[in-house]
Amino acid sequence: MKNLIAILTVIGLTSCGLETEKITELQMRIDSLKTELANVYKPGFGEIMSGVQIHHSKLWFAGINENWKLADFEIHEINELLDDIKKYQGRREESKDIDMIKPALESLSKAIKKNSVRDFKTNYENLTKVCNDCHKITKFEYNIVKVPSQPVFDNQAFRVKK
Ligand code: HEC
């Protein structure tokens, strides 16, 4: 009987040891995955905003040149970047305010669908105002967006042949 107890204890301890070994190994794998994840590239808030800036500019030249398909495309690009802010920078306090720009984008979309340059201009100015409103409430008031006077890139034509 004593021997049996001794044997069972040894088996018990060995299997316990194996369990602990397995847990330690899994923990190590989790830790290494965590390190890998932390090193995965994630676009920064300012980086995504620089993309928004480019599409905001192109949107203007598309609209005033009545290239409505391009204007619509640029709005989509801006919306995608706004989604990226939530996806990659959701933990930043400022990300909570990002949706304040949605109504301005929707109104501008309507002007584009109406093919109205006049409505486009008014709504574009309103959109730009909302960009700045958000910069103000997020304490980036020194970051001022304006209606562009020159396209950023010289290698893109905005007017399409009718
Ligand atoms: C959440 C509200 C919010 C809205 C809406 C918003 N921004 Fe920003 N923007 C920020 C914040 C916050 C920063 C600073 C990001 C950082 O930490 O680098 C910023 C930075 C920028 C920058 C500077 C990027 C750089 O690094 O040089 C530009 C340009 C910019 N925004 C353009 C725009 C434009 C154009 C719009 C409108 C179409 C817009 N933003 C709408 C919050 C906003």
Side-chain angles (χ1 to χ4, degrees), residues 45-46 49 52-53 92 94 98 101 131 134-135 140 143 145:
F45 205 121
M49 274 291 155
V52 171
Q53 178 179 26
R92 278 273 298 259
E94 297 91 334
I98 204 71
I101 202 168
C131 301
C134 193
H135 289 171
F140 280 97
N143 201 324
V145 182

Side-chain angles (χ1 to χ4, degrees), residues 30 80 87 91 96 115 133 141 147 158-159 162:
I30 290 171
E80 264 180 31
K87 186 171 166 189
R91 285 190 186 171
K96 279 198 237 120
N115 293 9
D133 285 347
E141 73 290 344
V147 176
F158 291 94
R159 192 178 290 274
K162 291 248 164 79

Side-chain angles (χ1 to χ4, degrees), residues 83-133:
D83 288 343
D84 282 352
I85 288 186
K86 289 192 207 162
K87 186 171 166 189
Y88 298 111
Q89 295 296 329
R91 285 190 186 171
R92 278 273 298 259
E93 188 64 24
E94 297 91 334
S95 303
K96 279 198 237 120
D97 295 309
I98 204 71
D99 280 340
M100 68 185 275
I101 202 168
K102 292 272 167 163
L105 282 166
E106 276 157 26
S107 306
L108 191 52
S109 265
K110 279 188 196 137
I112 291 169
K113 291 209 169 72
K114 264 171 68 186
N115 293 9
S116 159
V117 178
R118 218 188 64 177
D119 283 10
F120 173 83
K121 284 185 176 169
T122 321
N123 282 288
Y124 185 93
E125 273 160 19
N126 180 54
L127 172 75
T128 308
K129 185 189 165 293
V130 181
C131 301
N132 288 322
D133 285 347

